[in-house]
Amino acid sequence: MSTANPQALIMPADWRDFFALTKPGVMRLVIFTAVCGMLAAPGTIHPVLAFTAILCIAVGAGGAAALNQWWEADIDAVMKRTAQRPIPGGRMDRTSARDFGVALSGISVMTMGLAISWLAAGILAFSIFYYSYLYTVWLKPRTPQNIVIGGGAGAFPPLIGWIAVTGHITWMPVLLFLIIFMWTPPHFWALALFVQIDYSKAGIPMMPVVAGERSTRRQILAYAAILLPLSMTPWFIGGTGVVYGLSALLLSGMFLWLSIKVGLREGQPGDGMKPEKRLFAYSIFYLFILFAMLVVDRFATFYGLQA
Amino acid sequence: MTQPFDNSPLTTAETDALRARQRERNKVMGLILGFLVILFFAISIVKIAAKPEHAPAEGTERMEHS
């Protein structure tokens, strides 16, 4: 259905398009890391409240995603990957997307505040503001470091999950935040190297487009090198046990090894970009397993299987 | 952004399609509201039964990092 079809203009948007507006694919990692942050946090939380907190984090992320698409409809329209999203696809008007995003954001923050705590609600509100305004409106069109800053938005869920349980901020949830923050650039730039994302056409300064492939490869390597000691810091400060510590060493070591292969090579046209694809695939596996090991470590300590 | 409405009357097929979509949306909205009613009821019960904030519940050990 296109905007040229007059029927499309009077038809109210399909509920499935509202659902698509929340970026359900992204939400999977949001929910997973939030649950891990919760399970790894010291303390207990009633299952109903735990469910509510996760739901609020997910709905808040959905609201931010809807606001992002409301703002970026023009940019999405010129990129192949995003041209069929509800607004550029002509299946929804922008106002509906904006109202939907505002409603989801408001409801999730209020519910978090009333059911869990106003600290968790405040951070959730800030994370929505961070993604839908600081990132989407302000920084994304202005700097090739946009992915670095955007990574912050994805780094909030485990932090909020943890704080929902403990009720206060300590070093551990901040470290979880920093790990995802440092993980995002190499993860995304690996993708940007092998998928010729048409960001340049949309006027978005993506790193490989602006700074060139070579500089992007070096930066991937730099972030992976920082990630290795950073991911082990929870163990160093005594926040986790040896189960997590050694897992982080192995997982981040592998991450660094794959990044070295990407970072020190020159891409040739038609070489298939295998190392980049491998790094991207591994980066997703890495984050899932690292956070899972955080939870495993917690239970290992709780049941006396480690000091 | 919003296009001017075409005020010509809808055909029967168009009206049916419109009504069908409205019905679907209403159904989903109803399910969500019903779910929220249950969720808020559950939250209320849990909060009323809970001890003061952040105190460990009875019979559960508090897990603390060393």
Side-chain angles (χ1 to χ4, degrees):
Chain A
M1 213 187 284
S2 77
T3 38
N5 182 348
Q7 200 187 334
L9 301 172
I10 50 156
M11 281 293 266
D14 194 311
W15 67 269
R16 290 173 196 84
D17 284 322
F18 280 104
F19 183 66
L21 216 53
T22 63
K23 298 192 185 172
V26 176
M27 212 178 273
R28 235 171 292 156
L29 201 61
V30 166
I31 292 175
F32 177 76
T33 54
V35 168
C36 287
M38 238 174 188
L39 289 175
T44 51
I45 184 168
H46 192 284
V48 169
L49 298 183
F51 172 78
T52 307
I54 297 294
L55 188 72
C56 288
I57 295 170
V59 172
L67 289 173
N68 166 276
Q69 288 176 67
W70 158 64
W71 187 260
E72 290 191 334
D74 310 340
I75 297 169
D76 285 347
V78 296
M79 295 198 293
K80 238 189 253 149
R81 187 174 64 93
T82 52
Q84 278 314 307
R85 284 179 175 174
I87 307 172
R91 302 190 304 278
M92 185 186 291
D93 62 305
R94 284 180 85 150
T95 319
S96 300
R98 181 198 65 196
D99 297 348
F100 181 64
V102 170
L104 289 190
S105 306
I107 290 168
S108 63
V109 171
M110 290 306 290
T111 307
M112 183 71 104
L114 292 169
I116 312 295
S117 75
W118 289 103
L119 177 64
I123 298 172
L124 180 64
F126 180 73
S127 73
I128 295 168
F129 169 74
Y130 185 106
Y131 182 69
S132 56
Y133 185 79
L134 288 184
Y135 170 68
T136 302
V137 177
W138 196 42
L139 291 164
K140 189 174 176 184
R142 278 182 179 74
T143 162
Q145 295 293 335
N146 47 23
I147 283 310
V148 180
I149 296 137
F156 277 106
L159 177 87
I160 302 171
W162 184 291
I163 289 165
V165 175
T166 63
H168 56 93
I169 305 179
T170 52
W171 270 111
M172 271 300 289
V174 174
L175 281 171
L176 299 187
F177 176 91
L178 287 175
I179 288 169
I180 299 189
F181 189 78
M182 289 296 170
W183 165 88
T184 309
H187 160 76
F188 190 84
W189 286 334
L191 172 78
L193 281 174
F194 71 79
V195 182
Q196 291 305 317
I197 300 174
D198 26 11
Y199 278 111
S200 52
K201 220 164 65 185
I204 294 291
M206 239 358 124
M207 191 61 83
V209 176
V210 177
E213 218 182 287
R214 196 176 178 159
S215 162
T216 308
R217 288 172 185 279
R218 297 284 184 280
Q219 294 191 60
I220 286 176
L221 187 52
Y223 276 99
I226 299 171
L227 195 57
L228 176 64
L230 180 71
S231 66
M232 294 178 70
T233 311
W235 182 36
F236 298 152
I237 66 165
T240 66
V242 70
V243 171
Y244 171 83
L246 290 183
S247 308
L249 176 63
L250 281 174
L251 288 164
S252 301
M254 186 68 185
F255 197 103
L256 183 57
W257 172 242
L258 292 176
S259 298
I260 289 171
K261 286 190 169 171
V262 171
L264 298 182
R265 88 185 194 104
E266 300 278 337
Q268 305 294 336
D271 66 358
M273 292 280 197
K274 274 230 177 75
E276 289 74 19
K277 286 178 183 165
R278 207 176 307 142
L279 176 63
F280 178 72
Y282 177 77
S283 68
I284 298 168
F285 168 83
Y286 169 86
L287 202 70
F288 268 100
I289 301 300
L290 189 75
F291 273 77
M293 290 317 289
L294 193 70
V295 177
V296 170
D297 180 276
R298 172 109 203 105
F299 282 97
T301 306
F302 185 64
Y303 290 109
L305 299 174
Q306 68 174 356
Chain B
M1 194 66 236
T2 313
Q3 305 290 321
F5 281 129
D6 176 4
N7 285 325
S8 58
L10 297 173
T11 64
T12 319
E14 282 170 343
T15 310
D16 286 349
L18 185 82
R19 293 276 175 266
R21 187 164 286 189
Q22 282 176 332
R23 265 197 305 275
E24 247 190 340
R25 277 177 60 150
N26 293 345
K27 219 182 285 173
V28 173
M29 199 61 182
L31 285 173
I32 292 171
L33 288 176
F35 167 78
L36 283 179
V37 167
I38 296 167
L39 181 71
F40 274 85
F41 180 71
I43 292 170
S44 308
I45 296 299
V46 169
K47 294 224 99 161
I48 291 166
K51 295 196 159 187
E53 226 186 358
H54 305 311
E58 216 174 316
T60 59
E61 219 177 304
R62 225 173 131 73
M63 301 199 287
E64 293 286 358
H65 284 311
S66 54

